[in-house]
Amino acid sequence: MRLLEMVLDNGDVAAFLTDLAVVAASRLSVPGNQVHCGVTVIRHKRPEAVASSDAEARSLDELQNGFGDGPCLTALRGKTWLLVPDLGIEQRWPAYVEVARAQGVASILAMPLDLAGEAEAVLNLYAGRSHGFSTEDIATVEAFTDQAASAIRLVLRISQLSEARSDLSSALKSRTVIDMAVGAIMAENRCTRDTAFNILTKASSTRNVKLREVAASVIASISGEKEIDTYFDE
């Protein structure tokens, strides 16, 4: 239910993932073992730290992404969770492990999110105590990420629909302004629609200005209005 509320409360993916990281870190933190959480997403084949519970988690994610390797990226590539119980004896990723230990990290749990092809993401959990994640913690994070993945897929689809709606609205507004300008030119020059449209496109090309802006300036010169309201304005 909490995840559903987060989906409904947030208007974009980044905000939702930030809330997700905060909830995950809070759920796993106990006295003497504070957990930090970050979310890394693969964009254009490059990892990017897109959300975190705090500055420490973001720094650790960005460091790992800078090295181009580490437990979280390994888990993401292998599409399976990965636990590093004690960084003090870990032999893999030596450069990153050394820096992470210097920042007070003793154990790491990485849990990929199954987004069914919508994107690639991994939940990165950092603990200040070695063996900081129990078997129960791993089971909890698995269940949590399963639910979170479904919620994230919903957020991504909502975001895509919102962007598509915005693009359509913008296109309709532009079309309306251009049609108004074409009509004004036809009346002013007693010409056909094609001729009027050609006048607009030539002016746009000559001035290197977008067609909608040229159309708006034509209407403004006739009506004196700087802001052109259309039927599609909200």
Side-chain angles (χ1 to χ4, degrees), residues 31-58:
N33 186 39
Q34 184 179 2
V35 172
H36 308 280
C37 179
V39 180
T40 291
V41 171
I42 296 293
R43 289 178 173 171
H44 308 298
K45 297 183 179 181
R46 294 179 63 86
E48 181 180 346
V50 297
S52 59
S53 60
D54 48 49
E56 288 83 354
R58 177 167 288 276

PDB file of all heavy atoms in Angstrom, residues 31-58:
ATOM      1  N   PRO A  31      19.722   0.284  15.208  1.00  0.00           N
ATOM      2  CA  PRO A  31      20.736   0.930  16.042  1.00  0.00           C
ATOM      3  C   PRO A  31      22.107   0.268  15.862  1.00  0.00           C
ATOM      4  O   PRO A  31      22.231  -0.954  15.943  1.00  0.00           O
ATOM      5  CB  PRO A  31      20.193   0.729  17.461  1.00  0.00           C
ATOM      6  CG  PRO A  31      18.708   0.659  17.275  1.00  0.00           C
ATOM      7  CD  PRO A  31      18.516  -0.066  15.987  1.00  0.00           C
ATOM      8  N   GLY A  32      23.113   1.059  15.581  1.00  0.00           N
ATOM      9  CA  GLY A  32      24.456   0.537  15.387  1.00  0.00           C
ATOM     10  C   GLY A  32      24.758   0.087  13.973  1.00  0.00           C
ATOM     11  O   GLY A  32      25.894  -0.314  13.679  1.00  0.00           O
ATOM     12  N   ASN A  33      23.769   0.138  13.086  1.00  0.00           N
ATOM     13  CA  ASN A  33      24.003  -0.259  11.691  1.00  0.00           C
ATOM     14  C   ASN A  33      23.097   0.544  10.768  1.00  0.00           C
ATOM     15  O   ASN A  33      22.034   0.085  10.347  1.00  0.00           O
ATOM     16  CB  ASN A  33      23.752  -1.759  11.501  1.00  0.00           C
ATOM     17  CG  ASN A  33      24.134  -2.230  10.099  1.00  0.00           C
ATOM     18  OD1 ASN A  33      25.134  -1.789   9.533  1.00  0.00           O
ATOM     19  ND2 ASN A  33      23.336  -3.122   9.543  1.00  0.00           N
ATOM     20  N   GLN A  34      23.542   1.765  10.470  1.00  0.00           N
ATOM     21  CA  GLN A  34      22.771   2.608   9.559  1.00  0.00           C
ATOM     22  C   GLN A  34      22.992   2.147   8.126  1.00  0.00           C
ATOM     23  O   GLN A  34      24.117   1.906   7.707  1.00  0.00           O
ATOM     24  CB  GLN A  34      23.168   4.069   9.686  1.00  0.00           C
ATOM     25  CG  GLN A  34      22.322   4.998   8.811  1.00  0.00           C
ATOM     26  CD  GLN A  34      22.701   6.456   8.961  1.00  0.00           C
ATOM     27  OE1 GLN A  34      23.633   6.787   9.690  1.00  0.00           O
ATOM     28  NE2 GLN A  34      21.985   7.337   8.281  1.00  0.00           N
ATOM     29  N   VAL A  35      21.894   2.024   7.387  1.00  0.00           N
ATOM     30  CA  VAL A  35      21.953   1.589   5.995  1.00  0.00           C
ATOM     31  C   VAL A  35      21.655   2.779   5.083  1.00  0.00           C
ATOM     32  O   VAL A  35      20.745   3.566   5.345  1.00  0.00           O
ATOM     33  CB  VAL A  35      20.941   0.456   5.728  1.00  0.00           C
ATOM     34  CG1 VAL A  35      20.853   0.132   4.235  1.00  0.00           C
ATOM     35  CG2 VAL A  35      21.351  -0.793   6.509  1.00  0.00           C
ATOM     36  N   HIS A  36      22.458   2.917   4.026  1.00  0.00           N
ATOM     37  CA  HIS A  36      22.247   3.942   3.022  1.00  0.00           C
ATOM     38  C   HIS A  36      21.810   3.247   1.736  1.00  0.00           C
ATOM     39  O   HIS A  36      22.233   2.129   1.446  1.00  0.00           O
ATOM     40  CB  HIS A  36      23.527   4.735   2.764  1.00  0.00           C
ATOM     41  CG  HIS A  36      24.157   5.282   4.010  1.00  0.00           C
ATOM     42  ND1 HIS A  36      23.718   6.419   4.634  1.00  0.00           N
ATOM     43  CD2 HIS A  36      25.188   4.814   4.757  1.00  0.00           C
ATOM     44  CE1 HIS A  36      24.452   6.656   5.712  1.00  0.00           C
ATOM     45  NE2 HIS A  36      25.359   5.687   5.804  1.00  0.00           N
ATOM     46  N   CYS A  37      20.970   3.901   0.959  1.00  0.00           N
ATOM     47  CA  CYS A  37      20.428   3.261  -0.245  1.00  0.00           C
ATOM     48  C   CYS A  37      20.477   4.205  -1.440  1.00  0.00           C
ATOM     49  O   CYS A  37      20.119   5.383  -1.342  1.00  0.00           O
ATOM     50  CB  CYS A  37      18.974   2.821  -0.001  1.00  0.00           C
ATOM     51  SG  CYS A  37      18.208   2.046  -1.440  1.00  0.00           S
ATOM     52  N   GLY A  38      20.917   3.653  -2.562  1.00  0.00           N
ATOM     53  CA  GLY A  38      20.924   4.409  -3.808  1.00  0.00           C
ATOM     54  C   GLY A  38      20.300   3.584  -4.917  1.00  0.00           C
ATOM     55  O   GLY A  38      20.156   2.366  -4.791  1.00  0.00           O
ATOM     56  N   VAL A  39      19.920   4.255  -5.982  1.00  0.00           N
ATOM     57  CA  VAL A  39      19.363   3.568  -7.150  1.00  0.00           C
ATOM     58  C   VAL A  39      20.166   3.984  -8.371  1.00  0.00           C
ATOM     59  O   VAL A  39      20.318   5.182  -8.649  1.00  0.00           O
ATOM     60  CB  VAL A  39      17.876   3.909  -7.373  1.00  0.00           C
ATOM     61  CG1 VAL A  39      17.344   3.174  -8.604  1.00  0.00           C
ATOM     62  CG2 VAL A  39      17.053   3.550  -6.139  1.00  0.00           C
ATOM     63  N   THR A  40      20.701   2.998  -9.073  1.00  0.00           N
ATOM     64  CA  THR A  40      21.437   3.244 -10.305  1.00  0.00           C
ATOM     65  C   THR A  40      20.620   2.735 -11.482  1.00  0.00           C
ATOM     66  O   THR A  40      20.060   1.644 -11.427  1.00  0.00           O
ATOM     67  CB  THR A  40      22.811   2.541 -10.282  1.00  0.00           C
ATOM     68  OG1 THR A  40      23.650   3.184  -9.323  1.00  0.00           O
ATOM     69  CG2 THR A  40      23.489   2.605 -11.646  1.00  0.00           C
ATOM     70  N   VAL A  41      20.551   3.537 -12.535  1.00  0.00           N
ATOM     71  CA  VAL A  41      19.812   3.175 -13.742  1.00  0.00           C
ATOM     72  C   VAL A  41      20.771   3.216 -14.926  1.00  0.00           C
ATOM     73  O   VAL A  41      21.640   4.090 -14.997  1.00  0.00           O
ATOM     74  CB  VAL A  41      18.631   4.141 -13.979  1.00  0.00           C
ATOM     75  CG1 VAL A  41      17.983   3.904 -15.336  1.00  0.00           C
ATOM     76  CG2 VAL A  41      17.593   3.982 -12.874  1.00  0.00           C
ATOM     77  N   ILE A  42      20.631   2.250 -15.842  1.00  0.00           N
ATOM     78  CA  ILE A  42      21.432   2.261 -17.065  1.00  0.00           C
ATOM     79  C   ILE A  42      20.724   3.120 -18.105  1.00  0.00           C
ATOM     80  O   ILE A  42      19.584   2.850 -18.470  1.00  0.00           O
ATOM     81  CB  ILE A  42      21.627   0.838 -17.618  1.00  0.00           C
ATOM     82  CG1 ILE A  42      22.437  -0.011 -16.634  1.00  0.00           C
ATOM     83  CG2 ILE A  42      22.328   0.892 -18.972  1.00  0.00           C
ATOM     84  CD1 ILE A  42      23.870   0.424 -16.455  1.00  0.00           C
ATOM     85  N   ARG A  43      21.401   4.165 -18.549  1.00  0.00           N
ATOM     86  CA  ARG A  43      20.868   5.040 -19.591  1.00  0.00           C
ATOM     87  C   ARG A  43      21.912   5.167 -20.697  1.00  0.00           C
ATOM     88  O   ARG A  43      23.067   5.516 -20.420  1.00  0.00           O
ATOM     89  CB  ARG A  43      20.542   6.425 -19.026  1.00  0.00           C
ATOM     90  CG  ARG A  43      19.335   6.449 -18.112  1.00  0.00           C
ATOM     91  CD  ARG A  43      19.094   7.833 -17.563  1.00  0.00           C
ATOM     92  NE  ARG A  43      17.858   7.926 -16.816  1.00  0.00           N
ATOM     93  CZ  ARG A  43      17.505   8.982 -16.098  1.00  0.00           C
ATOM     94  NH1 ARG A  43      18.295  10.036 -16.063  1.00  0.00           N
ATOM     95  NH2 ARG A  43      16.361   9.009 -15.443  1.00  0.00           N
ATOM     96  N   HIS A  44      21.499   4.869 -21.922  1.00  0.00           N
ATOM     97  CA  HIS A  44      22.407   4.940 -23.063  1.00  0.00           C
ATOM     98  C   HIS A  44      23.674   4.123 -22.795  1.00  0.00           C
ATOM     99  O   HIS A  44      24.794   4.547 -23.093  1.00  0.00           O
ATOM    100  CB  HIS A  44      22.770   6.391 -23.380  1.00  0.00           C
ATOM    101  CG  HIS A  44      21.590   7.291 -23.544  1.00  0.00           C
ATOM    102  ND1 HIS A  44      20.649   7.109 -24.540  1.00  0.00           N
ATOM    103  CD2 HIS A  44      21.164   8.359 -22.810  1.00  0.00           C
ATOM    104  CE1 HIS A  44      19.714   8.038 -24.419  1.00  0.00           C
ATOM    105  NE2 HIS A  44      19.992   8.796 -23.389  1.00  0.00           N
ATOM    106  N   LYS A  45      23.465   2.954 -22.196  1.00  0.00           N
ATOM    107  CA  LYS A  45      24.527   1.985 -21.886  1.00  0.00           C
ATOM    108  C   LYS A  45      25.501   2.490 -20.832  1.00  0.00           C
ATOM    109  O   LYS A  45      26.561   1.897 -20.625  1.00  0.00           O
ATOM    110  CB  LYS A  45      25.288   1.602 -23.168  1.00  0.00           C
ATOM    111  CG  LYS A  45      24.416   0.904 -24.207  1.00  0.00           C
ATOM    112  CD  LYS A  45      25.242   0.498 -25.419  1.00  0.00           C
ATOM    113  CE  LYS A  45      24.342  -0.211 -26.437  1.00  0.00           C
ATOM    114  NZ  LYS A  45      25.121  -0.654 -27.639  1.00  0.00           N
ATOM    115  N   ARG A  46      25.146   3.544 -20.122  1.00  0.00           N
ATOM    116  CA  ARG A  46      25.999   4.080 -19.066  1.00  0.00           C
ATOM    117  C   ARG A  46      25.224   4.121 -17.752  1.00  0.00           C
ATOM    118  O   ARG A  46      24.058   4.532 -17.732  1.00  0.00           O
ATOM    119  CB  ARG A  46      26.494   5.483 -19.406  1.00  0.00           C
ATOM    120  CG  ARG A  46      27.447   5.538 -20.604  1.00  0.00           C
ATOM    121  CD  ARG A  46      27.867   6.972 -20.891  1.00  0.00           C
ATOM    122  NE  ARG A  46      28.610   7.527 -19.765  1.00  0.00           N
ATOM    123  CZ  ARG A  46      29.917   7.379 -19.588  1.00  0.00           C
ATOM    124  NH1 ARG A  46      30.619   6.686 -20.471  1.00  0.00           N
ATOM    125  NH2 ARG A  46      30.518   7.906 -18.559  1.00  0.00           N
ATOM    126  N   PRO A  47      25.856   3.690 -16.630  1.00  0.00           N
ATOM    127  CA  PRO A  47      25.172   3.740 -15.333  1.00  0.00           C
ATOM    128  C   PRO A  47      25.074   5.166 -14.813  1.00  0.00           C
ATOM    129  O   PRO A  47      26.008   5.954 -14.960  1.00  0.00           O
ATOM    130  CB  PRO A  47      26.064   2.874 -14.439  1.00  0.00           C
ATOM    131  CG  PRO A  47      27.429   3.000 -15.040  1.00  0.00           C
ATOM    132  CD  PRO A  47      27.214   3.123 -16.528  1.00  0.00           C
ATOM    133  N   GLU A  48      23.959   5.479 -14.202  1.00  0.00           N
ATOM    134  CA  GLU A  48      23.752   6.823 -13.656  1.00  0.00           C
ATOM    135  C   GLU A  48      23.047   6.711 -12.304  1.00  0.00           C
ATOM    136  O   GLU A  48      22.043   6.027 -12.169  1.00  0.00           O
ATOM    137  CB  GLU A  48      22.914   7.646 -14.616  1.00  0.00           C
ATOM    138  CG  GLU A  48      22.651   9.064 -14.147  1.00  0.00           C
ATOM    139  CD  GLU A  48      21.814   9.862 -15.127  1.00  0.00           C
ATOM    140  OE1 GLU A  48      21.659   9.417 -16.281  1.00  0.00           O
ATOM    141  OE2 GLU A  48      21.305  10.919 -14.736  1.00  0.00           O
ATOM    142  N   ALA A  49      23.609   7.376 -11.307  1.00  0.00           N
ATOM    143  CA  ALA A  49      22.974   7.426  -9.986  1.00  0.00           C
ATOM    144  C   ALA A  49      21.812   8.408 -10.063  1.00  0.00           C
ATOM    145  O   ALA A  49      22.016   9.607 -10.202  1.00  0.00           O
ATOM    146  CB  ALA A  49      23.988   7.869  -8.931  1.00  0.00           C
ATOM    147  N   VAL A  50      20.588   7.896  -9.987  1.00  0.00           N
ATOM    148  CA  VAL A  50      19.424   8.755 -10.200  1.00  0.00           C
ATOM    149  C   VAL A  50      18.665   9.096  -8.918  1.00  0.00           C
ATOM    150  O   VAL A  50      17.867  10.032  -8.901  1.00  0.00           O
ATOM    151  CB  VAL A  50      18.442   8.115 -11.201  1.00  0.00           C
ATOM    152  CG1 VAL A  50      19.091   7.948 -12.566  1.00  0.00           C
ATOM    153  CG2 VAL A  50      17.928   6.776 -10.691  1.00  0.00           C
ATOM    154  N   ALA A  51      18.909   8.329  -7.851  1.00  0.00           N
ATOM    155  CA  ALA A  51      18.182   8.597  -6.612  1.00  0.00           C
ATOM    156  C   ALA A  51      18.967   8.027  -5.437  1.00  0.00           C
ATOM    157  O   ALA A  51      19.772   7.099  -5.599  1.00  0.00           O
ATOM    158  CB  ALA A  51      16.788   7.980  -6.660  1.00  0.00           C
ATOM    159  N   SER A  52      18.749   8.585  -4.257  1.00  0.00           N
ATOM    160  CA  SER A  52      19.457   8.100  -3.075  1.00  0.00           C
ATOM    161  C   SER A  52      18.710   8.513  -1.814  1.00  0.00           C
ATOM    162  O   SER A  52      17.926   9.465  -1.821  1.00  0.00           O
ATOM    163  CB  SER A  52      20.880   8.656  -3.036  1.00  0.00           C
ATOM    164  OG  SER A  52      20.848  10.082  -3.007  1.00  0.00           O
ATOM    165  N   SER A  53      18.981   7.774  -0.743  1.00  0.00           N
ATOM    166  CA  SER A  53      18.371   8.111   0.543  1.00  0.00           C
ATOM    167  C   SER A  53      19.093   9.277   1.199  1.00  0.00           C
ATOM    168  O   SER A  53      18.520   9.981   2.031  1.00  0.00           O
ATOM    169  CB  SER A  53      18.404   6.891   1.477  1.00  0.00           C
ATOM    170  OG  SER A  53      19.755   6.481   1.713  1.00  0.00           O
ATOM    171  N   ASP A  54      20.357   9.492   0.827  1.00  0.00           N
ATOM    172  CA  ASP A  54      21.163  10.556   1.421  1.00  0.00           C
ATOM    173  C   ASP A  54      22.408  10.800   0.575  1.00  0.00           C
ATOM    174  O   ASP A  54      22.647  10.100  -0.415  1.00  0.00           O
ATOM    175  CB  ASP A  54      21.558  10.196   2.865  1.00  0.00           C
ATOM    176  CG  ASP A  54      22.107   8.779   2.957  1.00  0.00           C
ATOM    177  OD1 ASP A  54      22.987   8.432   2.141  1.00  0.00           O
ATOM    178  OD2 ASP A  54      21.636   8.012   3.821  1.00  0.00           O
ATOM    179  N   ALA A  55      23.191  11.775   0.979  1.00  0.00           N
ATOM    180  CA  ALA A  55      24.384  12.159   0.212  1.00  0.00           C
ATOM    181  C   ALA A  55      25.424  11.045   0.185  1.00  0.00           C
ATOM    182  O   ALA A  55      26.136  10.874  -0.813  1.00  0.00           O
ATOM    183  CB  ALA A  55      24.992  13.429   0.809  1.00  0.00           C
ATOM    184  N   GLU A  56      25.537  10.270   1.294  1.00  0.00           N
ATOM    185  CA  GLU A  56      26.513   9.188   1.340  1.00  0.00           C
ATOM    186  C   GLU A  56      26.227   8.143   0.266  1.00  0.00           C
ATOM    187  O   GLU A  56      27.138   7.675  -0.437  1.00  0.00           O
ATOM    188  CB  GLU A  56      26.524   8.525   2.721  1.00  0.00           C
ATOM    189  CG  GLU A  56      27.141   9.355   3.819  1.00  0.00           C
ATOM    190  CD  GLU A  56      26.174  10.367   4.419  1.00  0.00           C
ATOM    191  OE1 GLU A  56      25.040  10.500   3.910  1.00  0.00           O
ATOM    192  OE2 GLU A  56      26.552  11.023   5.394  1.00  0.00           O
ATOM    193  N   ALA A  57      24.965   7.755   0.129  1.00  0.00           N
ATOM    194  CA  ALA A  57      24.593   6.749  -0.870  1.00  0.00           C
ATOM    195  C   ALA A  57      24.864   7.255  -2.281  1.00  0.00           C
ATOM    196  O   ALA A  57      25.393   6.521  -3.126  1.00  0.00           O
ATOM    197  CB  ALA A  57      23.112   6.376  -0.712  1.00  0.00           C
ATOM    198  N   ARG A  58      24.523   8.508  -2.549  1.00  0.00           N
ATOM    199  CA  ARG A  58      24.765   9.060  -3.888  1.00  0.00           C
ATOM    200  C   ARG A  58      26.263   9.073  -4.199  1.00  0.00           C
ATOM    201  O   ARG A  58      26.678   8.731  -5.307  1.00  0.00           O
ATOM    202  CB  ARG A  58      24.188  10.470  -4.010  1.00  0.00           C
ATOM    203  CG  ARG A  58      24.488  11.122  -5.364  1.00  0.00           C
ATOM    204  CD  ARG A  58      23.663  12.363  -5.597  1.00  0.00           C
ATOM    205  NE  ARG A  58      22.269  12.030  -5.853  1.00  0.00           N
ATOM    206  CZ  ARG A  58      21.784  11.695  -7.038  1.00  0.00           C
ATOM    207  NH1 ARG A  58      22.598  11.616  -8.087  1.00  0.00           N
ATOM    208  NH2 ARG A  58      20.516  11.429  -7.187  1.00  0.00           N
TER     209      ARG A  58
END
